[in-house]
Amino acid sequence: WYTEGGYAVAPWLELLDLQKFLSLIGNNESKYPLDSSGSDHVEVLFTFPLANSRSLVVLRDDAQYVRSVVNELGLLSLTSEDIWSVLFPDVAKSLARAGGSGKSTKKSMRMEVDQTTFVQCMMRILSGTGELLKQNNSSWADFSPEETLKNFYLSFDLAQSKRVPLNQLMCGLTLLCGGKKSNKLVFAFGLFGGDDSGKVGKKKAASKMTHNDFFFFFRSFLIVMFSCCNQSLSLSADAVTQYISDTAKSVADDVMKYWKAKKVEKVKFENFSEWYNEGGFETAPWLELLDLNKWVLADQLPVQQQSQQQTQQHQSQQHQSQ
């Protein structure tokens, strides 16, 4: 009941776990639409534990920022599969037209893509949804989908090589798409543990991941979370990279240690799910952020619930007075 929608009725149950939650931003401090209250008060939604006693802090402003971005780009109307089914062949075709016939441009989920190709392919996908055409009515006057996608790409180019594996970009993008957390995890798992043909999520039983796969799997999510979080503005680029890498490695270590004790070298999705349910949710609670309803869209709920509660109280008071 809770997973299928109960979290929207009783989101305050999340408070039972004081370790849950986090968010995402770009490289500048450009303004984005705030709630009508316009308050400058900094409100912390959640604090997530990271490796080496560090923390990832999620503010309400971060949630508002991400909600504005996904609304402007129209990502809530798209699932990860929707984007990948077009992005993968489009990127492969674009790289082939650019003259890539070598091993580095082989059509695979791990093929490395440059910023221009990625942004152009994504713009074709997003323009096709019709959502970008609604920008004339946007409350974010200076929003640029191209610049947002460029910043997204740059956050993954940690080595500044101007080439990033496509599966890592898509894994990070999964966090911002519509869909359930469980479906997103199945899809993202296939990006690293699949057969490299580009067909993701169809045969999850066949997908298996190594320690290295898990490192990039977790790192991809963390990159997007940090890039959307105000906390990163107070840290150097090197510090952010260290936070992300240390945590991704620590969690990957934990997954593999759990299954190595059971003589499992390559982990299937069902193994990963067991690890998560048996305690992994405490090691990587920030994976809950894959469900946008629990943080990006959650701050719309209290107002509605408060209004309903006030109406119920008013009706109760009227009944008592009668």
Side-chain angles (χ1 to χ4, degrees), residues 112-240:
E112 296 183 340
V113 59
D114 60 278
Q115 183 191 69
T116 300
T117 300
F118 173 73
V119 172
Q120 290 178 345
C121 291
M122 280 300 301
M123 285 300 297
R124 283 195 286 270
I125 294 171
L126 298 176
S127 297
T129 67
E131 292 295 322
L132 291 180
L133 299 178
K134 299 177 181 179
Q135 285 191 47
N136 290 333
N137 298 321
S138 172
S139 58
W140 193 345
D142 58 350
F143 178 79
S144 169
E146 291 90 348
E147 288 303 314
T148 299
L149 290 170
K150 286 179 181 178
N151 286 334
F152 177 89
Y153 179 94
L154 289 175
S155 66
F156 279 83
D157 190 13
L158 301 178
Q160 298 183 354
S161 63
K162 299 183 179 180
R163 308 286 291 185
V164 178
L166 186 61
N167 63 333
Q168 295 180 31
L169 290 166
M170 187 64 233
C171 182
L173 192 60
T174 296
L175 188 146
L176 303 175
C177 295
K180 297 180 180 179
K181 181 192 72 175
S182 57
N183 294 339
K184 290 182 177 184
L185 283 173
V186 171
F187 172 82
F189 194 94
L191 289 171
F192 296 90
D195 61 8
D196 213 32
S197 66
K199 297 180 180 180
V200 180
K202 302 298 183 182
K203 299 180 179 179
K204 68 176 182 181
S207 298
K208 296 180 180 180
M209 282 169 56
T210 63
H211 181 280
N212 194 55
D213 294 324
F214 273 116
F215 171 77
F216 289 110
F217 173 74
F218 293 128
R219 193 185 74 162
S220 297
F221 290 134
L222 287 165
I223 285 174
V224 178
M225 292 172 186
F226 260 96
S227 67
C228 295
C229 182
N230 271 284
Q231 178 186 4
S232 63
L233 292 176
S234 63
L235 300 170
S236 67
D238 289 342
V240 171

Side-chain angles (χ1 to χ4, degrees), residues 6 17 23 71 101 110 163 167-168 174 207 218 236 251 288 316:
D17 185 346
S23 44
N71 283 338
S101 58
R110 295 171 175 80
R163 308 286 291 185
N167 63 333
Q168 295 180 31
T174 296
S207 298
F218 293 128
S236 67
V251 179
E288 291 297 321
S316 177

Side-chain angles (χ1 to χ4, degrees), residues 1-184:
W1 165 81
Y2 188 76
T3 302
E4 293 300 321
Y7 58 81
V9 178
W12 37 264
L13 283 174
E14 292 297 325
L15 295 176
L16 289 171
D17 185 346
L18 298 180
Q19 293 295 333
K20 278 192 175 179
F21 286 84
L22 146 57
S23 44
L24 165 67
I25 64 171
N27 293 326
N28 53 54
E29 298 180 353
S30 59
K31 295 292 183 179
Y32 52 89
L34 296 175
D35 284 345
S36 58
S37 62
S39 174
D40 291 331
H41 176 65
V42 176
E43 182 180 352
V44 176
L45 291 181
F46 299 96
T47 300
F48 292 107
L50 301 178
N52 300 324
S53 301
R54 297 165 180 150
S55 300
L56 178 62
V57 180
V58 186
L59 305 180
R60 184 170 295 280
D61 280 356
D62 297 330
Q64 291 174 340
Y65 171 81
V66 179
R67 183 172 70 248
S68 297
V69 170
V70 296
N71 283 338
E72 293 293 333
L73 294 178
L75 290 172
L76 288 177
S77 64
L78 298 170
T79 64
S80 304
E81 290 85 350
D82 292 334
I83 293 179
W84 182 251
S85 65
V86 180
L87 181 64
F88 178 72
D90 196 13
V91 167
K93 188 181 300 182
S94 296
L95 293 178
R97 280 199 302 264
S101 58
K103 184 177 181 180
S104 62
T105 56
K106 176 185 176 181
K107 185 178 180 180
S108 75
M109 294 189 294
R110 295 171 175 80
M111 58 186 166
E112 296 183 340
V113 59
D114 60 278
Q115 183 191 69
T116 300
T117 300
F118 173 73
V119 172
Q120 290 178 345
C121 291
M122 280 300 301
M123 285 300 297
R124 283 195 286 270
I125 294 171
L126 298 176
S127 297
T129 67
E131 292 295 322
L132 291 180
L133 299 178
K134 299 177 181 179
Q135 285 191 47
N136 290 333
N137 298 321
S138 172
S139 58
W140 193 345
D142 58 350
F143 178 79
S144 169
E146 291 90 348
E147 288 303 314
T148 299
L149 290 170
K150 286 179 181 178
N151 286 334
F152 177 89
Y153 179 94
L154 289 175
S155 66
F156 279 83
D157 190 13
L158 301 178
Q160 298 183 354
S161 63
K162 299 183 179 180
R163 308 286 291 185
V164 178
L166 186 61
N167 63 333
Q168 295 180 31
L169 290 166
M170 187 64 233
C171 182
L173 192 60
T174 296
L175 188 146
L176 303 175
C177 295
K180 297 180 180 179
K181 181 192 72 175
S182 57
N183 294 339
K184 290 182 177 184

